[in-house]
Amino acid sequence: MDEQIIKKFKDAVEECNYIVFFGGAGVSTESGIPDFRSTDGLYNQKYKYPPETMVSHSFYMHHTEEFFKFYKDKMVFQDANPNAAHKKLAELEKRGKLKAVVTQNIDGLHQKAGSREVLELHGSVHRNYCTGCGKFFDLDYVMKQENVPKCDECGAIIKPDVVLYEEGLDSSVIARTIDHISHADMLIIGGTSLVVYPAAGLIDYFNGKYLVVVNMAPTPRDKNADILINGKIGEVFSAI
Ligand code: NAD
């Protein structure tokens, strides 16, 4: 790792008091959860349908059994634990430096690490609701039900509160995200390919001093970064 760039990042963190983190699946790969677009990510494994199809709203509606098979096998990692990146972000929030974590992840690992202001653009595997009566269920209930999970009150299908392809984002989460990003003096983008919209477009609201990008593969925003670090996010965050 380039010591000079790490020092620059560290000094900038000390200087800033309204840090916002914007992350994606790459934040959790060091916790053992595969991302979508890395070489060992889900897009490079062979399935009957492309992953983007299998996590779409129409697939959930028309191939519900197959949807839940893929979802339970490949999208839910109940035993995963936060890594150094999740933990450092929680620590920066406790110190009053970081004001929000905005994540495209659905794994709940930021909360597990102790982060409090977590804006989940794509929802969470930990929240599930009955499509008939609205009753809420935890992840354990969904995972223990054989195949398609059904409500114990009305028998209707339980849907995970995750945003599938073809579904819209929650407007209150978007509003809070825009508010945080537009007030930030540092925006750290990490572990995301920045190709999933509208989520990736939200970083355009940043107008602060330091744009930091920490990612393994190049991203479309590398050229705008004040601090650009190509590396593993857990290792980078351990060093600051
Ligand atoms: P992506 O798979 O498109 O991109 C991940 C990026 O992270 C890649 O550019 C990769 O180079 C980088 N990366 C991987 N491991 C890294 C590491 N250790 N350190 C630094 N960079 C690393 O992921 P995305 O941009 O988040 O978009 C995919 C969508 O899939 C998101 O909407 C997300 O909701 C969903 N998803 C979520 C999870 C999860 O909750 N953990 C897992 C897979 C996919």
Side-chain angles (χ1 to χ4, degrees), residues 120-174:
E120 296 173 310
L121 294 171
H122 296 158
S124 172
V125 298
H126 295 283
R127 293 186 302 269
N128 304 276
Y129 63 91
C130 171
T131 52
C133 68
K135 183 176 175 182
F136 269 83
F137 294 89
D138 63 14
L139 181 58
D140 241 17
Y141 182 90
V142 169
M143 295 305 279
K144 279 183 180 148
Q145 293 255 308
E146 224 172 275
N147 210 340
V148 180
K150 302 267 175 65
C151 177
D152 60 1
E153 300 263 340
C154 74
I157 294 173
I158 296 169
K159 186 179 182 295
D161 190 12
V162 301
V163 180
L164 303 174
Y165 285 95
E166 306 160 355
E167 292 179 344
L169 272 55
D170 183 305
S171 56
S172 69
V173 176
I174 292 185

Side-chain angles (χ1 to χ4, degrees), residues 27-94:
V27 176
S28 295
T29 54
E30 287 162 88
S31 295
I33 303 180
D35 63 7
F36 275 180
R37 291 176 184 81
S38 290
T39 41
D40 50 354
L42 295 183
Y43 281 12
N44 291 308
Q45 300 176 19
K46 285 269 169 281
Y47 299 106
K48 200 164 143 198
Y49 305 92
E52 222 160 292
T53 303
M54 282 193 282
V55 288
S56 69
H57 182 77
S58 38
F59 197 80
Y60 160 78
M61 295 298 286
H62 303 299
H63 303 266
T64 315
E65 276 195 23
E66 251 175 299
F67 168 85
F68 275 105
K69 192 174 178 330
F70 179 80
Y71 176 79
K72 288 180 180 182
D73 277 1
K74 300 291 175 187
M75 304 292 294
V76 178
F77 294 82
Q78 271 182 302
D79 299 331
N81 282 310
N83 62 52
H86 299 103
K87 288 177 191 164
K88 179 64 77 174
L89 290 166
E91 182 195 313
L92 287 172
E93 185 182 29
K94 279 197 193 83

Side-chain angles (χ1 to χ4, degrees), residues 24-25 29-30 36-37 104 106-107 122 191-193 215-217 233:
T29 54
E30 287 162 88
F36 275 180
R37 291 176 184 81
Q104 299 164 85
I106 56 174
D107 55 34
H122 296 158
T192 171
S193 58
N215 209 61
M216 299 234 290
I233 194 159

